[in-house]
mmCIF file of all heavy atoms in Angstrom:
data_model
loop_
_atom_site.group_PDB
_atom_site.id
_atom_site.type_symbol
_atom_site.label_atom_id
_atom_site.label_comp_id
_atom_site.label_asym_id
_atom_site.label_seq_id
_atom_site.Cartn_x
_atom_site.Cartn_y
_atom_site.Cartn_z
ATOM 1 N N ASP A 34 80.980 105.386 118.655
ATOM 2 C CA ASP A 34 79.897 104.618 119.368
ATOM 3 C C ASP A 34 79.448 103.437 118.530
ATOM 4 O O ASP A 34 80.211 102.995 117.573
ATOM 5 C CB ASP A 34 78.713 105.605 119.459
ATOM 6 C CG ASP A 34 78.096 106.057 118.165
ATOM 7 O OD1 ASP A 34 78.387 105.621 117.047
ATOM 8 O OD2 ASP A 34 77.205 106.982 118.250
ATOM 9 N N CYS A 35 78.263 102.826 118.870
ATOM 10 C CA CYS A 35 77.848 101.528 118.148
ATOM 11 C C CYS A 35 77.675 101.821 116.689
ATOM 12 O O CYS A 35 77.854 100.836 115.943
ATOM 13 C CB CYS A 35 76.722 100.954 118.764
ATOM 14 S SG CYS A 35 75.203 102.077 118.780
ATOM 15 N N CYS A 36 77.238 102.868 116.234
ATOM 16 C CA CYS A 36 77.064 103.248 114.899
ATOM 17 C C CYS A 36 78.527 103.194 114.165
ATOM 18 O O CYS A 36 78.438 102.721 112.956
ATOM 19 C CB CYS A 36 76.297 104.421 114.588
ATOM 20 S SG CYS A 36 74.622 104.593 115.258
ATOM 21 N N GLY A 37 79.516 103.739 114.738
ATOM 22 C CA GLY A 37 80.842 103.689 114.103
ATOM 23 C C GLY A 37 81.384 102.377 114.122
ATOM 24 O O GLY A 37 81.946 101.886 113.044
ATOM 25 N N VAL A 38 81.071 101.516 115.118
ATOM 26 C CA VAL A 38 81.546 100.145 115.106
ATOM 27 C C VAL A 38 80.700 99.366 114.122
ATOM 28 O O VAL A 38 81.314 98.542 113.357
ATOM 29 C CB VAL A 38 81.333 99.448 116.471
ATOM 30 C CG1 VAL A 38 81.589 98.033 116.398
ATOM 31 C CG2 VAL A 38 82.339 100.099 117.499
ATOM 32 N N SER A 39 79.504 99.636 113.913
ATOM 33 C CA SER A 39 78.626 99.037 112.945
ATOM 34 C C SER A 39 79.201 99.288 111.541
ATOM 35 O O SER A 39 79.323 98.377 110.645
ATOM 36 C CB SER A 39 77.235 99.431 113.057
ATOM 37 O OG SER A 39 76.536 98.908 111.954
ATOM 38 N N MET A 40 79.636 100.614 111.349
ATOM 39 C CA MET A 40 80.171 100.973 110.026
ATOM 40 C C MET A 40 81.547 100.131 109.758
ATOM 41 O O MET A 40 81.727 99.648 108.601
ATOM 42 C CB MET A 40 80.568 102.406 109.937
ATOM 43 C CG MET A 40 81.198 102.853 108.774
ATOM 44 S SD MET A 40 81.801 104.645 108.873
ATOM 45 C CE MET A 40 83.280 104.289 110.094
ATOM 46 N N LEU A 41 82.429 100.031 110.855
ATOM 47 C CA LEU A 41 83.671 99.112 110.653
ATOM 48 C C LEU A 41 83.364 97.824 110.271
ATOM 49 O O LEU A 41 83.871 97.218 109.349
ATOM 50 C CB LEU A 41 84.456 99.266 111.915
ATOM 51 C CG LEU A 41 85.025 100.583 112.327
ATOM 52 C CD1 LEU A 41 85.775 100.491 113.654
ATOM 53 C CD2 LEU A 41 85.959 101.195 111.183
ATOM 54 N N CYS A 42 82.315 97.153 110.880
ATOM 55 C CA CYS A 42 81.874 95.799 110.812
ATOM 56 C C CYS A 42 81.432 95.687 109.284
ATOM 57 O O CYS A 42 81.684 94.615 108.651
ATOM 58 C CB CYS A 42 80.959 95.398 111.822
ATOM 59 S SG CYS A 42 81.683 95.075 113.399
ATOM 60 N N ARG A 43 80.574 96.453 108.851
ATOM 61 C CA ARG A 43 79.982 96.491 107.623
ATOM 62 C C ARG A 43 81.147 96.525 106.491
ATOM 63 O O ARG A 43 81.124 95.853 105.534
ATOM 64 C CB ARG A 43 79.005 97.630 107.277
ATOM 65 C CG ARG A 43 78.371 97.689 105.853
ATOM 66 C CD ARG A 43 77.487 98.783 105.681
ATOM 67 N NE ARG A 43 77.053 98.976 104.307
ATOM 68 C CZ ARG A 43 76.205 98.249 103.707
ATOM 69 N NH1 ARG A 43 75.632 97.294 104.128
ATOM 70 N NH2 ARG A 43 75.890 98.538 102.293
ATOM 71 N N THR A 44 81.939 97.444 106.777
ATOM 72 C CA THR A 44 83.107 97.617 105.862
ATOM 73 C C THR A 44 84.044 96.226 105.732
ATOM 74 O O THR A 44 84.385 95.877 104.751
ATOM 75 C CB THR A 44 83.966 98.796 106.281
ATOM 76 O OG1 THR A 44 83.236 100.007 106.230
ATOM 77 C CG2 THR A 44 85.267 98.943 105.185
ATOM 78 N N ARG A 45 84.253 95.715 106.882
ATOM 79 C CA ARG A 45 84.975 94.352 106.888
ATOM 80 C C ARG A 45 84.246 93.321 106.255
ATOM 81 O O ARG A 45 84.814 92.628 105.427
ATOM 82 C CB ARG A 45 85.171 93.958 108.375
ATOM 83 C CG ARG A 45 86.071 92.608 108.486
ATOM 84 C CD ARG A 45 86.188 92.196 110.029
ATOM 85 N NE ARG A 45 84.963 92.199 110.689
ATOM 86 C CZ ARG A 45 84.081 91.060 110.754
ATOM 87 N NH1 ARG A 45 84.456 90.097 109.998
ATOM 88 N NH2 ARG A 45 83.065 91.111 111.422
ATOM 89 N N ARG A 46 82.922 93.217 106.418
ATOM 90 C CA ARG A 46 82.183 92.097 105.770
ATOM 91 C C ARG A 46 82.128 92.458 104.222
ATOM 92 O O ARG A 46 82.318 91.531 103.433
ATOM 93 C CB ARG A 46 80.661 92.111 106.122
ATOM 94 C CG ARG A 46 80.547 91.558 107.559
ATOM 95 C CD ARG A 46 78.999 91.270 107.947
ATOM 96 N NE ARG A 46 78.168 92.513 107.796
ATOM 97 C CZ ARG A 46 77.911 93.479 108.699
ATOM 98 N NH1 ARG A 46 78.522 93.264 109.794
ATOM 99 N NH2 ARG A 46 77.190 94.395 108.478
ATOM 100 N N ARG A 47 81.969 93.612 103.829
ATOM 101 C CA ARG A 47 81.898 93.948 102.307
ATOM 102 C C ARG A 47 83.321 93.599 101.699
ATOM 103 O O ARG A 47 83.467 93.097 100.577
ATOM 104 C CB ARG A 47 81.585 95.365 102.157
ATOM 105 C CG ARG A 47 80.028 95.515 102.235
ATOM 106 C CD ARG A 47 79.604 97.073 102.155
ATOM 107 N NE ARG A 47 79.983 97.561 100.810
ATOM 108 C CZ ARG A 47 79.273 97.431 99.659
ATOM 109 N NH1 ARG A 47 78.221 96.845 99.725
ATOM 110 N NH2 ARG A 47 79.730 97.889 98.530
ATOM 111 N N THR A 48 84.314 93.993 102.420
ATOM 112 C CA THR A 48 85.717 93.679 101.919
ATOM 113 C C THR A 48 85.973 92.297 101.858
ATOM 114 O O THR A 48 86.433 91.695 100.721
ATOM 115 C CB THR A 48 86.669 94.333 102.909
ATOM 116 O OG1 THR A 48 86.405 95.761 102.884
ATOM 117 C CG2 THR A 48 88.115 94.165 102.369
ATOM 118 N N GLU A 49 85.611 91.491 102.891
ATOM 119 C CA GLU A 49 85.772 89.974 102.740
ATOM 120 C C GLU A 49 85.084 89.403 101.697
ATOM 121 O O GLU A 49 85.394 88.411 100.980
ATOM 122 C CB GLU A 49 85.562 89.497 104.090
ATOM 123 C CG GLU A 49 86.554 89.845 105.159
ATOM 124 C CD GLU A 49 86.274 89.335 106.548
ATOM 125 O OE1 GLU A 49 85.181 88.778 106.793
ATOM 126 O OE2 GLU A 49 87.206 89.529 107.517
ATOM 127 N N ALA A 50 83.766 89.754 101.558
ATOM 128 C CA ALA A 50 82.929 89.265 100.581
ATOM 129 C C ALA A 50 83.429 89.499 99.141
ATOM 130 O O ALA A 50 83.083 88.647 98.107
ATOM 131 C CB ALA A 50 81.476 89.843 100.583
ATOM 132 N N ARG A 51 84.351 90.385 98.931
ATOM 133 C CA ARG A 51 84.805 90.685 97.582
ATOM 134 C C ARG A 51 86.343 90.322 97.410
ATOM 135 O O ARG A 51 87.007 90.765 96.693
ATOM 136 C CB ARG A 51 84.702 92.136 97.247
ATOM 137 C CG ARG A 51 83.288 92.455 96.925
ATOM 138 C CD ARG A 51 82.762 93.893 97.027
ATOM 139 N NE ARG A 51 81.437 94.174 96.721
ATOM 140 C CZ ARG A 51 80.524 94.018 97.580
ATOM 141 N NH1 ARG A 51 80.754 93.571 98.807
ATOM 142 N NH2 ARG A 51 79.199 94.212 97.217
ATOM 143 N N ALA A 52 86.639 89.278 98.418
ATOM 144 C CA ALA A 52 88.068 88.880 98.468
ATOM 145 C C ALA A 52 89.095 89.931 98.624
ATOM 146 O O ALA A 52 90.182 89.848 98.085
ATOM 147 C CB ALA A 52 88.446 87.958 97.217
ATOM 148 N N GLY A 53 88.833 90.851 99.434
ATOM 149 C CA GLY A 53 89.721 91.993 99.779
ATOM 150 C C GLY A 53 90.437 91.904 101.041
ATOM 151 O O GLY A 53 90.223 90.927 101.670
ATOM 152 N N ARG A 54 90.901 93.004 101.481
ATOM 153 C CA ARG A 54 91.650 93.208 102.799
ATOM 154 C C ARG A 54 91.356 94.480 103.350
ATOM 155 O O ARG A 54 91.422 95.546 102.749
ATOM 156 C CB ARG A 54 93.058 93.033 102.566
ATOM 157 C CG ARG A 54 93.847 92.847 103.711
ATOM 158 C CD ARG A 54 95.338 92.384 103.512
ATOM 159 N NE ARG A 54 95.945 92.343 104.841
ATOM 160 C CZ ARG A 54 97.271 92.229 105.048
ATOM 161 N NH1 ARG A 54 97.832 92.309 104.065
ATOM 162 N NH2 ARG A 54 97.758 92.295 106.099
ATOM 163 N N LEU A 55 90.958 94.413 104.728
ATOM 164 C CA LEU A 55 90.783 95.578 105.425
ATOM 165 C C LEU A 55 91.682 95.480 106.583
ATOM 166 O O LEU A 55 91.845 94.469 107.261
ATOM 167 C CB LEU A 55 89.231 95.776 105.856
ATOM 168 C CG LEU A 55 89.078 96.868 106.880
ATOM 169 C CD1 LEU A 55 89.228 98.133 106.444
ATOM 170 C CD2 LEU A 55 87.746 96.714 107.573
ATOM 171 N N ARG A 56 92.516 96.658 106.856
ATOM 172 C CA ARG A 56 93.190 96.763 108.059
ATOM 173 C C ARG A 56 92.826 98.005 108.791
ATOM 174 O O ARG A 56 92.626 99.030 108.203
ATOM 175 C CB ARG A 56 94.755 96.723 107.608
ATOM 176 C CG ARG A 56 95.261 95.411 107.424
ATOM 177 C CD ARG A 56 96.089 95.408 106.170
ATOM 178 N NE ARG A 56 95.659 95.932 105.005
ATOM 179 C CZ ARG A 56 96.365 96.199 103.978
ATOM 180 N NH1 ARG A 56 97.677 95.972 103.971
ATOM 181 N NH2 ARG A 56 95.929 96.868 102.982
ATOM 182 N N LEU A 57 93.028 97.913 110.180
ATOM 183 C CA LEU A 57 92.808 99.047 111.015
ATOM 184 C C LEU A 57 94.193 99.542 111.452
ATOM 185 O O LEU A 57 94.957 98.730 112.071
ATOM 186 C CB LEU A 57 91.861 98.865 112.024
ATOM 187 C CG LEU A 57 90.560 98.372 111.873
ATOM 188 C CD1 LEU A 57 89.852 98.359 113.311
ATOM 189 C CD2 LEU A 57 89.780 99.443 111.105
ATOM 190 N N ALA A 58 94.533 100.773 111.223
ATOM 191 C CA ALA A 58 95.887 101.245 111.696
ATOM 192 C C ALA A 58 95.517 102.385 112.831
ATOM 193 O O ALA A 58 94.550 103.069 112.893
ATOM 194 C CB ALA A 58 96.595 102.075 110.496
ATOM 195 N N GLY A 59 96.488 102.483 113.755
ATOM 196 C CA GLY A 59 96.360 103.320 114.734
ATOM 197 C C GLY A 59 95.454 103.024 115.893
ATOM 198 O O GLY A 59 95.079 103.892 116.763
ATOM 199 N N VAL A 60 95.024 101.820 116.081
ATOM 200 C CA VAL A 60 94.124 101.435 117.106
ATOM 201 C C VAL A 60 94.657 101.638 118.488
ATOM 202 O O VAL A 60 94.071 102.167 119.441
ATOM 203 C CB VAL A 60 93.593 99.960 116.951
ATOM 204 C CG1 VAL A 60 92.835 99.544 118.193
ATOM 205 C CG2 VAL A 60 92.845 99.875 115.658
ATOM 206 N N ALA A 61 95.946 101.391 118.588
ATOM 207 C CA ALA A 61 96.616 101.546 119.898
ATOM 208 C C ALA A 61 96.780 103.049 120.293
ATOM 209 O O ALA A 61 96.680 103.409 121.525
ATOM 210 C CB ALA A 61 98.014 101.002 119.842
ATOM 211 N N GLU A 62 96.737 103.939 119.321
ATOM 212 C CA GLU A 62 96.808 105.331 119.503
ATOM 213 C C GLU A 62 95.468 105.952 119.808
ATOM 214 O O GLU A 62 95.351 107.116 120.086
ATOM 215 C CB GLU A 62 97.509 106.061 118.425
ATOM 216 C CG GLU A 62 99.053 105.708 118.456
ATOM 217 C CD GLU A 62 99.253 104.488 117.543
ATOM 218 O OE1 GLU A 62 98.357 103.948 116.926
ATOM 219 O OE2 GLU A 62 100.449 104.112 117.517
ATOM 220 N N SER A 63 94.426 105.273 119.718
ATOM 221 C CA SER A 63 93.000 105.771 119.852
ATOM 222 C C SER A 63 92.366 104.957 120.978
ATOM 223 O O SER A 63 91.730 103.949 120.738
ATOM 224 C CB SER A 63 92.201 105.635 118.671
ATOM 225 O OG SER A 63 90.877 106.135 118.741
ATOM 226 N N PRO A 64 92.302 105.390 122.198
ATOM 227 C CA PRO A 64 91.918 104.728 123.401
ATOM 228 C C PRO A 64 90.410 104.435 123.279
ATOM 229 O O PRO A 64 89.958 103.402 123.599
ATOM 230 C CB PRO A 64 92.127 105.612 124.569
ATOM 231 C CG PRO A 64 93.212 106.493 124.097
ATOM 232 C CD PRO A 64 93.141 106.685 122.703
ATOM 233 N N SER A 65 89.698 105.257 122.644
ATOM 234 C CA SER A 65 88.245 105.079 122.488
ATOM 235 C C SER A 65 87.899 103.901 121.573
ATOM 236 O O SER A 65 86.970 103.162 121.843
ATOM 237 C CB SER A 65 87.488 106.422 122.016
ATOM 238 O OG SER A 65 87.998 106.830 120.783
ATOM 239 N N VAL A 66 88.666 103.857 120.443
ATOM 240 C CA VAL A 66 88.455 102.750 119.453
ATOM 241 C C VAL A 66 88.921 101.413 120.120
ATOM 242 O O VAL A 66 88.151 100.498 120.012
ATOM 243 C CB VAL A 66 89.141 103.000 118.193
ATOM 244 C CG1 VAL A 66 89.033 101.829 117.264
ATOM 245 C CG2 VAL A 66 88.713 104.296 117.347
ATOM 246 N N LEU A 67 90.030 101.373 120.664
ATOM 247 C CA LEU A 67 90.624 100.361 121.426
ATOM 248 C C LEU A 67 89.643 99.732 122.441
ATOM 249 O O LEU A 67 89.224 98.483 122.488
ATOM 250 C CB LEU A 67 91.993 100.513 121.894
ATOM 251 C CG LEU A 67 92.731 99.348 122.633
ATOM 252 C CD1 LEU A 67 92.980 98.226 121.563
ATOM 253 C CD2 LEU A 67 94.003 99.867 123.228
ATOM 254 N N ARG A 68 89.215 100.551 123.291
ATOM 255 C CA ARG A 68 88.355 100.198 124.286
ATOM 256 C C ARG A 68 87.080 99.657 123.943
ATOM 257 O O ARG A 68 86.611 98.654 124.331
ATOM 258 C CB ARG A 68 88.058 101.367 125.251
ATOM 259 C CG ARG A 68 87.232 101.068 126.604
ATOM 260 C CD ARG A 68 87.082 102.324 127.439
ATOM 261 N NE ARG A 68 86.640 101.977 128.726
ATOM 262 C CZ ARG A 68 85.314 101.725 129.002
ATOM 263 N NH1 ARG A 68 84.476 101.894 128.029
ATOM 264 N NH2 ARG A 68 84.992 101.371 130.166
ATOM 265 N N LEU A 69 86.351 100.297 122.811
ATOM 266 C CA LEU A 69 85.189 99.694 122.401
ATOM 267 C C LEU A 69 85.259 98.352 121.674
ATOM 268 O O LEU A 69 84.459 97.560 121.731
ATOM 269 C CB LEU A 69 84.405 100.727 121.520
ATOM 270 C CG LEU A 69 82.819 100.465 121.204
ATOM 271 C CD1 LEU A 69 82.114 100.269 122.470
ATOM 272 C CD2 LEU A 69 82.484 101.721 120.408
ATOM 273 N N LEU A 70 86.210 98.263 120.829
ATOM 274 C CA LEU A 70 86.507 97.062 120.216
ATOM 275 C C LEU A 70 86.735 95.886 121.202
ATOM 276 O O LEU A 70 86.301 94.754 120.965
ATOM 277 C CB LEU A 70 87.712 97.049 119.238
ATOM 278 C CG LEU A 70 87.499 97.923 117.858
ATOM 279 C CD1 LEU A 70 88.731 97.995 116.997
ATOM 280 C CD2 LEU A 70 86.248 97.424 117.040
ATOM 281 N N ARG A 71 87.526 96.182 122.277
ATOM 282 C CA ARG A 71 87.755 95.241 123.268
ATOM 283 C C ARG A 71 86.485 94.896 124.003
ATOM 284 O O ARG A 71 86.096 93.759 124.267
ATOM 285 C CB ARG A 71 88.724 95.724 124.338
ATOM 286 C CG ARG A 71 90.113 95.650 123.932
ATOM 287 C CD ARG A 71 91.056 95.814 125.005
ATOM 288 N NE ARG A 71 92.516 95.613 124.535
ATOM 289 C CZ ARG A 71 93.543 96.269 125.054
ATOM 290 N NH1 ARG A 71 93.338 97.210 125.853
ATOM 291 N NH2 ARG A 71 94.812 95.910 124.659
ATOM 292 N N LEU A 72 85.631 95.923 124.385
ATOM 293 C CA LEU A 72 84.400 95.684 125.134
ATOM 294 C C LEU A 72 83.381 94.821 124.291
ATOM 295 O O LEU A 72 82.601 94.056 124.859
ATOM 296 C CB LEU A 72 83.730 97.068 125.507
ATOM 297 C CG LEU A 72 84.328 97.798 126.659
ATOM 298 C CD1 LEU A 72 83.706 99.264 126.782
ATOM 299 C CD2 LEU A 72 84.119 97.030 127.967
ATOM 300 N N THR A 73 83.341 94.991 122.949
ATOM 301 C CA THR A 73 82.389 94.338 122.206
ATOM 302 C C THR A 73 82.993 92.978 121.771
ATOM 303 O O THR A 73 82.253 92.238 121.064
ATOM 304 C CB THR A 73 82.089 95.182 120.763
ATOM 305 O OG1 THR A 73 83.405 95.475 120.198
ATOM 306 C CG2 THR A 73 81.365 96.387 121.303
ATOM 307 N N GLY A 74 84.274 92.702 122.055
ATOM 308 C CA GLY A 74 84.797 91.412 121.582
ATOM 309 C C GLY A 74 85.307 91.530 120.111
ATOM 310 O O GLY A 74 85.433 90.299 119.449
ATOM 311 N N LEU A 75 85.237 92.532 119.468
ATOM 312 C CA LEU A 75 85.500 92.696 118.093
ATOM 313 C C LEU A 75 86.934 92.968 117.625
ATOM 314 O O LEU A 75 87.316 92.974 116.584
ATOM 315 C CB LEU A 75 84.635 93.725 117.518
ATOM 316 C CG LEU A 75 83.167 93.452 117.374
ATOM 317 C CD1 LEU A 75 82.306 94.614 117.031
ATOM 318 C CD2 LEU A 75 82.974 92.358 116.385
ATOM 319 N N LEU A 76 87.953 93.101 118.712
ATOM 320 C CA LEU A 76 89.265 93.392 118.385
ATOM 321 C C LEU A 76 89.878 92.253 117.556
ATOM 322 O O LEU A 76 90.528 92.732 116.686
ATOM 323 C CB LEU A 76 90.014 93.663 119.810
ATOM 324 C CG LEU A 76 91.391 94.240 119.516
ATOM 325 C CD1 LEU A 76 91.358 95.630 119.049
ATOM 326 C CD2 LEU A 76 92.157 94.255 120.889
ATOM 327 N N SER A 77 89.646 91.190 117.854
ATOM 328 C CA SER A 77 90.288 89.972 117.061
ATOM 329 C C SER A 77 89.591 89.875 115.677
ATOM 330 O O SER A 77 90.228 89.162 114.858
ATOM 331 C CB SER A 77 90.181 88.674 117.959
ATOM 332 O OG SER A 77 88.860 88.321 118.125
#
């Protein structure tokens, strides 16, 4: 849900702020994650 997406975004921001790297694996195998990231425009 939106709290889970918020957690992903916070993790991405914190990683980038510390010159790190975050990758998501298995998005294509999780229809709920793929769908919500697409609906919110956050997939890219």
Side-chain angles (χ1 to χ4, degrees):
D34 65 6
C35 61
C36 291
V38 172
S39 178
M40 178 191 70
L41 295 177
C42 290
R43 176 180 169 81
T44 302
R45 181 181 53 85
R46 283 191 309 271
R47 288 179 55 87
T48 302
E49 290 174 354
R51 288 159 182 81
R54 186 169 182 198
L55 169 67
R56 282 141 307 168
L57 298 182
V60 173
E62 291 87 3
S63 178
S65 60
V66 174
L67 179 62
R68 184 173 194 280
L69 195 54
L70 289 178
R71 280 186 173 152
L72 285 171
T73 58
L75 290 170
L76 188 62
S77 63

